[in-house]
Amino acid sequence: MGRMFFLIFLMVFTVGGSSVRAETEIRFSTAAPEKTPWAIYAHQIAESVKKDTSGTIKVQVFSGSQLGNEQDVIRQVARGRIHMGSFSNTAASLMVPEIALLAAPYIWDSLEQADCALDNHLFSIFQNKFEEKGLIILGWTEVGNRGYAFTSPVNGLADLAGKKMRVAPTKASSLTADGFGANAVVLPITEVASALQTGLVEGADLPGLVYTALGFSKIAPNWIASNHSHQVGMVLMSQKVWKRLSDEQQSAFLKARQSPVKLRQMVRGAEKSSLAKFSENGGRVIELNADQMANWRRTAKAARDSLIEDLGGDAKPIYAQIEEAKRACTN
């Protein structure tokens, strides 16, 4: 009887040709380097799952893109070859294009509104879309506000005209840069440093904390704090893996995902402090006053409309639901 139970347990954890060795290992991939808020969050999930399953499941975190860049890894997670991972909106939009709507320029009136809409109104909408692609959303993560880094001095929106701008491999990033008058050059995050150093691009669209944490601020020491896009991420698990977990094990992962509030606080706090330190050390941070911000927002509307059209699929009805969620979350 004991041998039969052991064999069944091994079969349960054989997923898409990728066996979870010793019945306990779940591979969790993240592009984030160790000691960053995102890697810390991944390790917190691992510890929580280990504790709540009495050690029968051990989540092994592979940080710093050890298993590949996130665009490749997310496809491997969908196939069950890698069990789970933490992903940016950029990578997630490769699987579900409509998720790029959450990165549309100036889609939110405030971060509080964004948090409310994501947590209380939009989760199930996107969960269904990811399930169609073989993925389960375990929870939202926070990447931070995006701005523009430049190798040469800039002052405002007019200076973007004609600039060769690195954009992320997502329509939200490229259409926004185009709308601001820049010439978009699509590059993965792994090629940004060399592109800035060689002059392939003059600027880059980046999250603020990524800009400082990964050293881009040393190459491009001019930062426009446009906050033109709020970058939300997510923890995803292969649906093949999820279905082979027991109810108790699934509950352990759902509990482990925790509220995104703590991670948001970590990322936003680190973003603010790191940009302040960058400025103190001689970096140039261009803050936008109320009139300038209003001009950026007006200019971005056309890019937002173009994004909805270009995405196609369910972009229009989902955008309508986002607008409804915004109204529900407006005080």
Side-chain angles (χ1 to χ4, degrees):
M1 181 67 178
R3 178 176 174 79
M4 179 64 70
F5 178 82
F6 177 74
L7 291 173
I8 291 173
F9 197 81
L10 282 178
M11 292 172 65
V12 166
F13 282 88
T14 301
V15 183
S18 178
S19 176
V20 181
R21 298 182 62 80
E23 314 92 53
T24 59
E25 292 183 9
I26 294 285
R27 291 184 296 164
F28 185 161
S29 177
T30 175
E34 285 294 320
K35 299 183 180 179
T36 61
W38 308 289
I40 291 170
Y41 185 65
H43 285 293
Q44 288 174 344
I45 290 175
E47 287 299 316
S48 178
V49 169
K50 180 180 179 180
K51 177 182 177 182
D52 288 340
T53 62
S54 301
T56 60
I57 293 182
K58 296 178 182 177
V59 178
Q60 185 175 3
V61 176
F62 293 86
S63 58
S65 298
Q66 292 180 64
L67 301 184
N69 68 60
E70 63 172 9
Q71 287 86 0
D72 292 334
V73 168
I74 196 169
R75 295 186 178 96
Q76 296 303 312
V77 173
R79 297 183 182 121
R81 295 174 182 172
I82 297 173
H83 305 115
M84 62 185 297
S86 180
F87 301 97
S88 68
N89 183 284
T90 298
S93 67
L94 297 175
M95 304 303 293
V96 176
E98 293 91 343
I99 200 75
L101 291 170
L102 298 181
Y106 299 115
I107 190 172
W108 307 110
D109 299 325
S110 67
L111 287 176
E112 291 76 17
Q113 183 192 65
D115 295 346
C116 170
L118 290 166
D119 295 345
N120 301 314
H121 302 278
L122 300 177
F123 191 91
S124 62
I125 295 169
F126 288 105
Q127 179 71 285
N128 293 336
K129 299 294 290 185
F130 278 95
E131 285 182 1
E132 293 171 4
K133 301 295 183 178
L135 296 161
I136 298 293
I137 302 179
L138 293 181
W140 300 116
T141 62
E142 175 79 6
V143 182
N145 284 317
R146 300 184 78 93
Y148 289 118
F150 286 94
T151 53
S152 58
V154 291
N155 293 301
L157 182 58
D159 293 327
L160 271 65
K163 287 283 196 300
K164 293 180 291 183
M165 176 77 69
R166 176 269 172 178
V167 296
T170 174
K171 289 183 177 181
S173 184
S174 58
L175 288 172
T176 300
D178 287 341
F180 290 145
N183 294 325
V185 180
V186 178
L187 292 172
I189 194 70
T190 52
E191 298 179 21
V192 175
S194 61
L196 288 167
Q197 289 171 326
T198 61
L200 176 64
V201 296
E202 301 163 88
D205 179 10
L206 296 165
L209 185 53
V210 170
Y211 170 65
T212 54
L214 299 189
F216 298 120
S217 57
K218 298 176 182 178
I219 306 167
N222 301 278
W223 177 255
I224 298 183
S226 53
N227 296 339
H228 57 272
S229 174
H230 171 243
Q231 189 86 76
V232 63
M234 61 206 69
V235 176
L236 298 170
M237 177 177 276
S238 167
Q239 193 174 47
K240 293 178 181 178
V241 174
W242 180 255
K243 288 182 176 179
R244 287 165 173 78
L245 297 174
S246 68
D247 290 344
E248 292 78 12
Q249 291 162 344
Q250 288 181 357
S251 295
F253 276 99
L254 291 176
K255 179 182 177 182
R257 70 186 181 186
Q258 307 174 33
S259 165
V261 171
K262 186 174 181 180
L263 181 60
R264 286 170 180 158
Q265 291 173 338
M266 282 196 296
V267 171
R268 292 169 189 175
E271 178 184 291
K272 183 177 180 180
S273 63
S274 65
L275 284 173
K277 185 176 180 181
F278 162 71
S279 180
E280 290 170 4
N281 291 334
R284 190 160 179 262
V285 177
I286 298 92
E287 301 282 358
L288 305 182
N289 62 35
D291 289 341
Q292 290 170 326
M293 181 62 76
N295 188 28
W296 281 72
R297 283 182 171 272
R298 283 193 299 269
T299 306
K301 185 180 184 305
R304 195 163 61 242
D305 293 342
S306 294
L307 177 63
I308 297 167
E309 290 295 329
D310 282 16
L311 288 175
D314 292 328
K316 286 185 177 179
I318 289 177
Y319 185 76
Q321 290 175 296
I322 292 173
E323 287 292 299
E324 184 177 338
K326 287 172 61 178
R327 288 190 290 272
C329 290
T330 301
N331 294 327

